[in-house]
Amino acid sequence: MKDDVIDGQILKFCDDFSNRVFCTVCPKKCGTYRTMESRNAAKHLKQDIHIRNFKLARLSHPPGMKQRLGGIRTNISTSAPTGDPDPPVSPIDCNDFGMDLDAPDTPINGQSPAVSNTVPDEADSEYPLLNLWDDIKGSRTLQFDGPSPDLFAELQSSLNSGNIPFTTPLIPTNQERELADDSASDFGIEIPDDPFQVPSVPSLQIVQRIPSRRKHHVKHFITSLLFSSPRLPFSEAQKKAVLNWVKELGARDLPTLGAIKKLHTGLEDLVGDPTEKVTSQSGNVFYINSVAKAIAKDYANPLTRLAMQDYPEDSGKGMSQVFNGKKMLLDMPSPPAVRVHGAVYFTDELLQDCTGGYFIPQRFFLGAADTSMDDTETCEHSDKVLYALGRVVERTDAGFIISEDQEIIPTSMFIRSFADIAANYGELDCGLTVKYGSLSPNPLRERSKGRMVYTVPLIIFMDDVSGNISKQWNKHHAIYMSNANLPREMLEKEFLVRFVASSPHAPLMELMRAMKESICAAAKSGVVAWDCKDNEEVMLIPYGLFLAGDNPMQAEECSHAGLNCNYFCRTCDVGGTKEYKESAAGYESIFVAIYGPQRTPLKRPDDNLRPPSTSNSILHALVELGKRLRKRTAGSQALSETVIEATFQKEFEDLLKGRELDDAINPLFGMDNIHMDTPTEILHTILLGVVKYFWGQTAFLLEKAKLLHVFQDRLESIDKDGLNSPCLNADYICRYKGGLIGKHFKSLAQVMPIITHDLIPPTVLNAWTVIGELVVLIWHTRIVDTEVYLANLSRKIEDFLNITSQRAPSILISKPKFHFLVHLPAFIRRFGPAIVFYTERYESFNHVFRLSCIYSNRQALSRDTCKTFARQDIMKHITTGGYWYDPTVRKWVRGGEMILGYFDEHPEQARLLGIPNSGCSVPISGSGKIETTLTAAGKTARKDAVPWKTTRCARILRTDRPDVIHHPGKSVVTRQGEHAHLDSRVIFRHPADGKVFTFADTLHPSLHLPCLTLADNEVVSAGIDLICIVNLQHNCVDSRCTDFDQKPIRQERTETSQTKALIQHKPTPKFFLNVYSIHNYEHILLVIPDTLRETPLWVVNVAEVRAVALRQLRDKRAAKKAGGDVSKPAGEDEGEGGDTRILSAPAPPAFDRVPTKTRKPASKAKTKANGPSTRGRKKPEVPNAIAGPSAQTASTQQDSRTFSDLASVQQHQAHFVPPAQHLYAPPPQSFPSLQPVPPLRPLHSPPLHLPSPYSHFPSQSYTRPTHQDMYMAAMHPLPAAQAYMSLPRPPYHQQSQHAQDFNPPSQYPLPQFGMTHPRGS
């Protein structure tokens, strides 16, 4: 019955897989045919509306007219317009919706675009527009035989004769029920869209097919976008569950998983599949994503291209980016081309400038604009000009003479390129006289075929990552990379980290070889990409800039044996045997960098060379060959050494396959100096290195002295405002003190000297002080003067190493990370600020990689991860407006308006893909938030406005503003975009003469921090004048804050009965300015007087300290060999005639010792025989020379939660025996007994009242303050010649002449330092 009703003429199936049919007789509604379930087809045929429509169609088209319409094409695809649940996907499908074919009409390789006339296959989901137009035109065109008749004349003649040219049947209206038929439009009166329309399904479905396909593609796009999130992956089962859930909610025409996979395959074919299979020489198989396709996406995407800087920059004295470093500016080959006035100029080519002279450029770079030159062409920024470094050429009768001196000229002076000069007949015939150049064109000119050529430096990161969700180690080697042409702020984004390769099987250097070959192949052939900034095709040449990673990984990349070998440094030749490192010469070498010639495998010591993983197959083959050649069998004669050597040589050459020996051992040896391209990584060397070492020993000292709870209370009471360190959870840090990570150590380094000033020995406190200063220097994002900065950094590093040798001499030998600090200034000069090669962004990306491994089927991990990241990159590229080359239309195309505007309406999808949300509004400086309250209905509402005369500001300003409404405020936005809340301390600019804080004349004697005193007067400031938030700590040392308050502990957003102790600060106006704070360090430096900016060196007599350290090492080694007591102080048995002031060594440092453990009894029987049982009794502790009171004192202090008993603390400090009191500065401070402090008025006041936008404070833009506008409390203003960000000239004996002569001009005077606002109303 079903097949009889659905005959394929009147009723037809929508598609081969659907049970829905559509009627070709009933008119269309809203542009689509009427569809129904197949079981309702018979009922539909019996309806009066269908019968009437069928009769109307027959009467409206007489037989003659049908014959004239018989020429319509019927060979078009007859797929139904709707109801396709799993439509086939092809690259052309993406153009149905969302393709912007209005892209620049620039063909690739200079060929003209052409439209293919190939008729698509029946299974194709699209139809060519040319054929579509012919069909639409044919369905509405009448064809006549012979000459065209005059239709109007025939119609007029027929009317005059009384004949009716058209049949107009009248429909009976006796069946009124049809008037209420909801399915009939226009109350049952059907007017055809076209009087000549025939139910020819093939020609009519094409027009209605496109909207239906768009609907499918929208659902495909949204579903694929959801399943492409890097940090929210879905397994196959989860994808099916999501699709079933949406289907149960009533969604129709959902894509299946098969359709999603087809879409991904189609997108890969359209945009380009970057995944390539690699088989190593050892037989390992893995996959890699092409480097060429990755960098081509960067240039074709406006999100990344518009932020790039194509040329290195000479920023003068300072630096802030990787392209300010020495390597990109001087060491690496220059970007080969520049475009000036529409012409492309290459390096090492002859050109002519506007003066008429000739010039050969050798390097292009950006520099500051020369104000003396009027005609300069700026690039991207008005303060940057593109310059050329090269040689002047003079044309004589004898030939072109090239100058031996190099000169710098702006590229805007170029007027004639080499092509123009060569085109002028006879101009180059005179030849060349010297060797500094040639008269031939740059080879890139021919290869680029008129395109602009750019170089792309790459930052390469390699690490070993576990691919398991559990703690079981499943090692994978993974490689990521970043485009170094992007600024540092963009490099920190996860969106711009590119995955390259991974494998759980292949060794690390095999992956690196594939990475190098991919880069070299792209550089050799050039990468043709679309430059969306200039709307033109360009050629890209990539190269590796440096390799980031942790120290073991960088040692592997250098074929270095690692941190445990004798020559532990991969950069210099420091090290040796243990006896040599404990000698005077060897110990001194740890404090300096010993740079020699470039290191190669043949120049390395044998104990410093790691067996290369890439050459293991060669070594195994040679070893097996040697065994066979030297094996003697009965009755055979042994081969001679000459034959064996010749066989070995031939086999070795065959195994090398034409490669150099260095390249066979390590593929990175063939590149630049790899030992100088693995910079000291500050995360693993500073935070997880020296800071972690000192934290571990400090925690050991605190536990030994039973003072860890005191440390926890102080850490809990620390003021965290202005630190930007959310990881100072005191309970977590003290409970899991052995399992902290980098963010904890970074936060601790900024507050440790303030917390532990009287809990640890002075030498350890001095080390923490220098660590705090080092962390601030190393985490600089912008260096104002490179030479002064590096001199100051070198000075701090040397001082820190000297303090370490004073406290723990042997740790400098056993922990190579201390020596790695010496190379940090050289790497900063080479690659820019140390934050540039900070690997935290890549370590965070390891989580994304681990998720891709977890949500795979584990059958082909390397291929699956490459495919996963390739699809994610394609989706991110398309949705952010990236271009790609479409070979079908031979154009560079991109997504349409719906795709480009999707993230604006759905920002949550952008966050899932890790795309920076450009739609977020930036806080406006000076704006604020008004205090709110909860109403009786539970809604949030503003607090009531208050009259001006009742505010505290009115009393201070003594003004009357009756017409202005003011609301109490809770925060205000500073110029740095921070929200300063009530009781925050900020740096602000104020024109009035008022002192809020005054600086002391000297640093604090024990903490060496600037001391501040809060003044009595109050100042009212506009919100626009607030610059930034700073961290102040209450001076509990001088205020004697010894009391504690008990604060309830909140758990699950509820206050519990448990409490924690917080220091109750006494109401004294004494504060410390925390100069160890990384946040806003630039502005903190500005407000500090010049006399307080420099801290003294902690070790002034370096030679004596190192001599004492060497003596301790020798005595320790001698005692160990003799089997004596290592803890016995050296020199204890010496006579009084010795120089005990210098030569008497202290007790062995705590860092070099482990806690002394009591030996267990040999057996129970022996214990009973020797004396009474000691079970249940506490064993006495062995006396220790490190920090800690006696056992009796410790037991009394164990439950103490206050600082009232300072005598016990002083008694604890009395146990320390420093090596020589004059070896550190300043001497330990002894605090006097507690004195009662007179109570002062409390500092807490009612909240701030922010004025309304109509207040008397005008909206003003930020202008650089003048000297008359800035005031500093209790300090002299800097002279006019002093710079705003100038650093004090350090008294460092190795400071360069350039740094000594540094005296930069003044930028703007110091801002005012004070509170956020006057408190109260």
Side-chain angles (χ1 to χ4, degrees):
M1 181 65 185
K2 174 181 176 182
D3 296 337
D4 296 336
V5 173
I6 307 173
D7 56 355
Q9 298 296 329
I10 298 176
L11 296 180
K12 299 190 64 174
F13 284 102
C14 294
D15 55 52
D16 297 336
F17 304 97
S18 175
N19 291 325
R20 298 188 66 83
V21 297
F22 65 96
C23 181
T24 61
V25 175
C26 296
K28 296 178 294 183
K29 184 178 180 180
C30 299
T32 59
Y33 285 101
R34 185 177 180 180
T35 62
M36 67 207 74
E37 295 291 337
S38 59
R39 65 177 181 269
N40 298 326
K43 182 179 179 181
H44 173 75
L45 294 177
K46 297 178 183 179
Q47 290 182 354
D48 294 338
I49 185 67
H50 172 77
I51 297 173
R52 185 177 69 247
N53 290 330
F54 180 77
K55 293 179 180 179
L56 181 63
R58 293 184 60 184
L59 293 174
S60 300
H61 304 287
M65 185 68 68
K66 295 181 180 179
Q67 292 178 1
R68 295 176 183 177
L69 298 177
I72 301 176
R73 299 186 181 183
T74 59
N75 59 347
I76 307 175
S77 175
T78 59
S79 59
T82 57
D84 187 3
D86 192 4
V89 179
S90 67
I92 306 298
D93 284 340
C94 302
N95 291 330
D96 289 352
F97 105 101
M99 286 299 170
D100 186 6
L101 293 180
D102 295 331
D105 192 2
T106 303
I108 193 169
N109 299 329
Q111 299 178 5
S112 60
V115 180
S116 176
N117 294 324
T118 305
V119 178
D121 196 29
E122 289 287 348
D124 255 344
S125 60
E126 260 318 320
Y127 196 74
L129 290 178
L130 182 60
N131 297 345
L132 178 63
W133 167 248
D134 292 340
D135 294 331
I136 298 174
K137 180 181 67 174
S139 64
R140 286 161 173 78
T141 304
L142 301 179
Q143 300 180 4
F144 299 94
D145 299 333
S148 300
D150 190 349
L151 296 181
F152 180 75
E154 291 184 5
L155 177 62
Q156 188 176 14
S157 175
S158 176
L159 291 175
N160 293 334
S161 62
N163 296 328
I164 300 177
F166 305 102
T167 58
T168 310
L170 296 177
I171 305 300
T173 59
N174 53 357
Q175 298 178 1
E176 296 181 357
R177 64 183 179 83
E178 291 194 3
L179 295 177
D181 189 0
D182 296 335
S183 62
S185 60
D186 299 329
F187 299 96
I189 302 175
E190 296 288 350
I191 302 177
D193 296 336
D194 190 349
F196 304 105
Q197 185 178 21
V198 295
S200 179
V201 177
S203 62
L204 296 177
Q205 290 178 350
I206 286 295
V207 182
Q208 303 301 326
R209 182 173 165 76
I210 295 178
S212 175
R213 299 297 295 165
R214 285 174 179 254
K215 186 185 301 184
H216 283 295
H217 291 153
V218 170
K219 296 177 181 179
H220 279 77
F221 169 71
I222 297 175
T223 309
S224 299
L225 203 60
L226 175 64
F227 292 160
S228 299
S229 173
R231 288 190 174 267
L232 188 63
F234 292 85
S235 63
E236 293 293 322
Q238 291 172 340
K239 292 178 182 179
K240 293 179 182 179
V242 170
L243 294 177
N244 291 333
W245 170 71
V246 177
K247 185 177 180 180
E248 291 296 328
L249 294 181
R252 298 173 55 188
D253 301 332
L254 290 176
T256 62
L257 285 182
I260 297 297
K261 294 179 180 179
K262 291 179 182 178
L263 176 63
H264 288 160
T265 304
L267 291 177
E268 290 176 357
D269 297 337
L270 184 68
V271 181
D273 187 5
T275 304
E276 301 171 355
K277 182 179 179 181
V278 178
T279 303
S280 65
Q281 188 174 2
S282 61
N284 290 317
V285 178
F286 57 92
Y287 288 79
I288 183 173
N289 284 345
S290 173
V291 175
K293 289 183 173 61
I295 63 175
K297 289 185 178 68
D298 288 342
Y299 276 78
N301 195 315
L303 189 64
T304 54
R305 180 66 183 102
L306 299 181
M308 289 185 192
Q309 180 163 307
D310 300 320
Y311 299 92
E313 179 185 352
D314 183 7
S315 56
K317 295 180 179 179
M319 59 172 55
S320 60
Q321 304 291 343
V322 66
F323 39 75
N324 301 139
K326 179 177 176 289
K327 181 173 182 180
M328 285 189 65
L329 191 61
L330 298 175
D331 296 344
M332 291 303 296
S334 168
V338 63
R339 186 187 297 277
V340 180
H341 305 303
V344 179
Y345 297 84
F346 286 86
T347 56
D348 302 325
E349 279 188 356
L350 186 68
L351 58 86
Q352 192 173 20
D353 56 24
C354 59
T355 62
Y358 294 92
F359 188 78
I360 296 181
Q362 296 175 326
R363 185 171 292 275
F364 297 120
F365 64 95
L366 288 171
D370 189 357
T371 57
S372 62
M373 301 182 62
D374 297 333
D375 186 18
T376 56
E377 181 180 353
T378 58
C379 297
E380 299 182 9
H381 303 283
S382 58
D383 57 342
K384 296 179 183 179
V385 176
L386 191 57
Y387 290 97
L389 172 67
R391 302 179 187 274
V392 176
V393 182
E394 182 181 359
R395 189 174 189 273
T396 63
D397 296 337
F400 288 98
I401 300 177
I402 302 178
S403 174
E404 296 183 359
D405 299 327
Q406 291 181 320
E407 296 185 7
I408 298 176
I409 63 173
T411 58
S412 58
M413 297 177 61
F414 298 169
I415 59 172
R416 294 181 64 204
S417 65
F418 180 83
D420 299 332
I421 297 175
N424 188 12
Y425 179 75
E427 190 170 357
L428 298 177
D429 294 343
C430 58
L432 194 64
T433 59
V434 291
K435 61 182 179 180
Y436 292 109
S438 64
L439 296 181
S440 59
N442 193 311
L444 290 174
R445 179 177 290 277
E446 181 180 358
R447 286 172 51 192
S448 62
K449 297 180 181 180
R451 302 183 183 96
M452 187 64 184
V453 182
Y454 296 107
T455 55
V456 186
L458 302 176
I459 300 174
I460 304 170
F461 173 83
M462 186 163 51
D463 198 7
D464 48 353
V465 191
S466 176
N468 285 0
I469 193 173
S470 63
K471 294 182 179 180
Q472 180 182 356
W473 182 250
N474 184 15
K475 187 175 182 179
H476 288 68
H477 288 125
I479 299 180
Y480 317 136
M481 73 174 185
S482 298
N483 190 339
N485 278 337
L486 292 167
R488 178 191 55 82
E489 295 79 7
M490 293 286 289
L491 290 176
E492 299 294 334
K493 307 295 182 182
E494 181 182 293
F495 175 79
L496 300 175
V497 177
R498 299 283 189 183
F499 173 85
V500 180
S502 70
S503 176
H505 313 291
L508 183 144
M509 296 311 296
E510 288 187 356
L511 293 177
M512 186 55 68
R513 181 182 295 279
M515 175 75 178
K516 176 192 172 184
E517 291 175 353
S518 181
I519 295 176
C520 294
K524 183 178 180 180
S525 60
V527 182
V528 177
W530 181 257
D531 187 355
C532 62
K533 183 175 71 173
D534 297 328
N535 290 329
E536 62 177 2
E537 281 188 351
V538 296
M539 177 178 284
L540 308 177
I541 301 177
Y543 67 90
L545 184 63
F546 64 82
L547 287 86
D550 54 16
N551 291 292
M553 196 61 57
Q554 289 180 331
E556 177 83 14
E557 293 164 351
C558 297
S559 292
H560 186 264
L563 306 182
N564 296 325
C565 64
N566 289 333
Y567 295 87
F568 50 79
C569 183
R570 64 180 180 273
T571 306
C572 69
D573 297 327
V574 70
T577 61
K578 186 175 181 181
E579 290 75 13
Y580 173 77
K581 286 183 287 189
E582 292 179 357
S583 64
Y587 198 74
E588 288 289 338
S589 66
I590 299 176
F591 296 85
V592 295
I594 305 175
Y595 294 107
Q598 181 173 349
R599 306 170 74 176
T600 63
L602 300 181
K603 298 179 181 179
R604 288 173 172 268
D606 294 338
D607 56 354
N608 195 29
L609 180 62
R610 179 191 295 270
S613 58
T614 56
S615 58
N616 283 337
S617 59
I618 299 178
L619 295 177
H620 292 326
L622 293 178
V623 169
E624 293 298 328
L625 177 62
K627 292 180 179 179
R628 292 197 306 268
L629 293 178
R630 296 183 181 276
K631 184 178 180 180
R632 298 183 61 180
T633 60
S636 62
Q637 186 177 2
L639 297 178
S640 63
E641 290 296 328
T642 305
V643 175
I644 294 177
E645 184 177 354
T647 306
F648 263 110
Q649 185 67 27
K650 184 179 182 303
E651 181 68 17
F652 182 62
E653 292 176 356
D654 295 340
L655 292 174
L656 287 179
K657 297 181 179 179
R659 296 176 297 174
E660 297 291 335
L661 178 60
D662 288 355
D663 184 65
I665 296 177
N666 189 333
L668 300 178
F669 285 160
M671 302 177 69
D672 201 16
N673 187 359
I674 185 61
H675 307 286
M676 291 300 298
D677 290 341
T678 52
T680 300
E681 203 281 309
I682 57 179
L683 171 63
H684 298 87
T685 304
I686 306 296
L687 299 181
L688 300 178
V690 296
V691 179
K692 183 178 181 180
Y693 300 153
F694 272 89
W695 162 251
Q697 299 300 330
T698 302
F700 169 74
L701 295 176
L702 293 174
E703 278 189 319
K704 197 68 176 177
K706 301 298 187 291
L707 294 175
L708 187 60
H709 66 283
V710 179
F711 171 84
Q712 180 177 347
D713 294 342
R714 292 188 181 183
L715 184 60
E716 187 68 40
S717 306
I718 204 76
D719 189 356
K720 303 176 180 64
D721 189 32
L723 282 178
N724 196 20
S725 299
C727 303
L728 283 175
N729 188 340
D731 180 68
Y732 181 89
I733 289 176
C734 295
R735 180 180 300 180
Y736 305 105
K737 53 186 176 295
L740 304 183
I741 59 177
K743 62 181 181 181
H744 299 112
F745 297 125
K746 185 178 178 181
S747 301
L748 285 172
Q750 304 177 55
V751 297
M752 282 295 289
I754 302 173
I755 300 176
T756 61
H757 58 89
D758 57 349
L759 303 180
I760 55 179
T763 51
V764 182
L765 178 62
N766 296 344
W768 278 114
T769 302
V770 182
I771 286 176
E773 297 175 354
L774 265 179
V775 169
V776 174
L777 280 175
I778 293 173
W779 260 261
H780 268 37
T781 58
R782 186 174 70 91
I783 301 173
V784 178
D785 190 288
T786 304
E787 298 301 329
V788 174
Y789 168 82
L790 294 180
N792 196 12
L793 179 62
S794 301
R795 174 176 175 265
K796 293 298 180 184
I797 291 175
E798 184 180 8
D799 195 26
F800 173 68
L801 294 181
N802 290 331
I803 294 175
T804 306
S805 67
Q806 184 184 25
R807 183 62 194 170
S810 64
I811 199 172
L812 296 179
I813 299 176
S814 60
K815 301 296 182 182
K817 292 182 180 180
F818 286 91
H819 169 76
F820 292 163
L821 296 177
V822 178
H823 299 288
L824 192 57
F827 288 124
I828 293 176
R829 186 188 300 274
R830 184 172 174 84
F831 300 113
I835 196 72
V836 171
F837 39 89
Y838 189 37
T839 61
E840 186 176 8
R841 56 181 176 269
Y842 302 113
E843 297 286 348
S844 176
F845 194 78
N846 282 341
H847 175 67
V848 180
F849 169 75
R850 186 178 296 109
L851 290 177
S852 67
C853 295
I854 294 171
Y855 287 89
S856 66
N857 57 10
R858 307 285 180 134
Q859 302 300 314
L861 282 172
S862 181
R863 186 197 62 185
D864 292 346
T865 52
C866 286
K867 287 289 186 181
T868 299
F869 284 103
R871 291 166 183 169
Q872 292 174 2
D873 289 344
I874 290 175
M875 291 299 298
K876 291 188 291 186
H877 183 72
I878 294 177
T879 52
T880 53
Y883 289 82
W884 66 91
Y885 183 76
D886 190 347
T888 305
V889 297
R890 303 186 64 82
K891 289 183 180 180
W892 291 89
V893 299
R894 65 170 181 172
E897 295 181 357
M898 199 284 288
I899 289 181
L900 300 183
Y902 184 79
F903 286 151
D904 296 335
E905 301 176 358
H906 305 84
E908 67 280 354
Q909 291 286 349
R911 288 193 294 269
L912 287 179
L913 289 183
I915 298 174
N917 189 5
S918 58
C920 294
S921 59
V922 180
I924 302 175
S925 300
S927 63
K929 292 184 178 180
I930 298 177
E931 284 193 356
T932 58
T933 183
L934 289 177
T935 62
K939 297 183 179 180
T940 303
R942 292 183 177 181
K943 284 189 175 181
D944 297 335
V946 295
W948 169 259
K949 62 181 180 180
T950 62
T951 62
R952 195 166 185 173
C953 298
R955 293 195 298 268
I956 297 173
L957 297 176
R958 298 179 182 180
T959 58
D960 188 14
R961 301 175 56 85
D963 299 332
V964 180
I965 300 177
H966 292 77
H967 292 271
K970 62 180 180 181
S971 66
V972 64
V973 179
T974 65
R975 291 181 183 175
Q976 297 297 317
E978 306 165 310
H979 290 271
H981 298 273
L982 294 175
D983 298 332
S984 295
R985 279 82 174 184
V986 302
I987 299 176
F988 72 101
R989 171 177 172 265
H990 194 268
D993 187 8
K995 298 179 180 178
V996 180
F997 279 99
T998 58
F999 280 92
D1001 296 333
T1002 59
L1003 298 175
H1004 193 269
S1006 61
L1007 296 183
H1008 293 272
L1009 290 173
C1011 300
L1012 301 173
T1013 303
L1014 179 64
D1016 295 333
N1017 61 322
E1018 297 175 330
V1019 177
V1020 178
S1021 176
I1024 194 65
D1025 292 329
L1026 304 183
I1027 298 177
C1028 67
I1029 305 176
V1030 293
N1031 181 249
L1032 294 185
Q1033 300 294 338
H1034 188 260
N1035 189 350
C1036 298
V1037 179
D1038 298 335
S1039 301
R1040 302 293 189 268
C1041 300
T1042 58
D1043 297 334
F1044 283 83
D1045 283 338
Q1046 300 296 324
K1047 181 181 178 180
I1049 298 177
R1050 294 182 61 87
Q1051 296 177 357
E1052 305 295 333
R1053 298 185 178 183
T1054 306
E1055 289 188 359
T1056 63
S1057 58
Q1058 302 179 11
T1059 59
K1060 58 182 177 181
L1062 296 178
I1063 297 177
Q1064 183 180 1
H1065 297 295
K1066 293 186 177 180
T1068 58
K1070 299 179 180 181
F1071 293 88
F1072 290 130
L1073 175 59
N1074 189 1
V1075 296
Y1076 309 128
S1077 174
I1078 302 175
H1079 191 54
N1080 294 325
Y1081 67 90
E1082 293 181 339
H1083 301 283
I1084 294 175
L1085 185 64
L1086 303 179
V1087 300
I1088 302 177
D1090 189 35
T1091 57
L1092 303 179
R1093 294 184 181 181
E1094 182 179 351
T1095 57
L1097 289 173
W1098 296 104
V1099 177
V1100 292
N1101 48 350
V1102 177
E1104 296 178 358
V1105 169
R1106 295 180 184 176
V1108 173
L1110 283 173
R1111 183 174 179 180
Q1112 290 181 5
L1113 290 176
R1114 290 194 298 265
D1115 293 344
K1116 181 180 178 180
R1117 185 176 67 252
K1120 186 176 181 180
K1121 290 182 178 179
D1125 187 6
V1126 181
S1127 63
K1128 184 178 181 180
E1132 184 176 334
D1133 298 334
E1134 294 181 359
E1136 298 180 356
D1139 190 359
T1140 58
R1141 183 178 63 89
I1142 296 179
L1143 299 180
S1144 60
F1151 286 17
D1152 294 346
R1153 304 181 59 222
V1154 295
T1156 306
K1157 297 182 180 179
T1158 56
R1159 294 184 178 181
K1160 296 182 180 180
S1163 62
K1164 294 183 179 180
K1166 185 176 181 180
T1167 304
K1168 293 180 180 180
N1170 291 337
S1173 173
T1174 59
R1175 180 177 299 177
R1177 300 181 185 180
K1178 185 176 180 180
K1179 298 181 180 180
E1181 296 184 358
V1182 179
N1184 205 325
I1186 64 171
S1190 60
Q1192 182 179 0
T1193 307
S1195 62
T1196 59
Q1197 290 183 351
Q1198 185 173 2
D1199 298 330
S1200 176
R1201 305 292 291 179
T1202 66
F1203 296 135
S1204 58
D1205 191 9
L1206 290 183
S1208 63
V1209 177
Q1210 294 177 0
Q1211 178 184 2
H1212 154 65
Q1213 291 184 344
H1215 285 274
F1216 294 105
V1217 183
Q1221 294 294 334
H1222 71 285
L1223 296 185
Y1224 54 87
Q1229 181 186 11
S1230 60
F1231 297 108
S1233 59
L1234 293 177
Q1235 299 294 334
V1237 180
L1240 299 179
R1241 65 177 182 86
L1243 300 179
H1244 304 283
S1245 302
L1248 165 72
H1249 294 277
L1250 290 179
S1252 66
Y1254 302 99
S1255 64
H1256 68 287
F1257 296 119
S1259 299
Q1260 53 183 345
S1261 60
Y1262 173 65
T1263 57
R1264 186 167 300 215
T1266 60
H1267 181 68
Q1268 290 77 13
D1269 294 339
M1270 309 302 297
Y1271 292 88
M1272 174 56 61
M1275 62 171 289
H1276 298 288
L1278 292 178
Q1282 186 68 27
Y1284 177 80
M1285 280 295 293
S1286 63
L1287 295 173
R1289 187 170 64 204
Y1292 184 55
H1293 62 279
Q1294 294 184 357
Q1295 186 178 2
S1296 63
Q1297 183 66 27
H1298 179 75
Q1300 294 176 1
D1301 298 336
F1302 170 68
N1303 190 14
S1306 176
Q1307 296 183 10
Y1308 53 94
L1310 299 176
Q1312 175 70 17
F1313 182 82
M1315 306 295 291
T1316 304
H1317 41 69
R1319 306 182 190 179
S1321 57

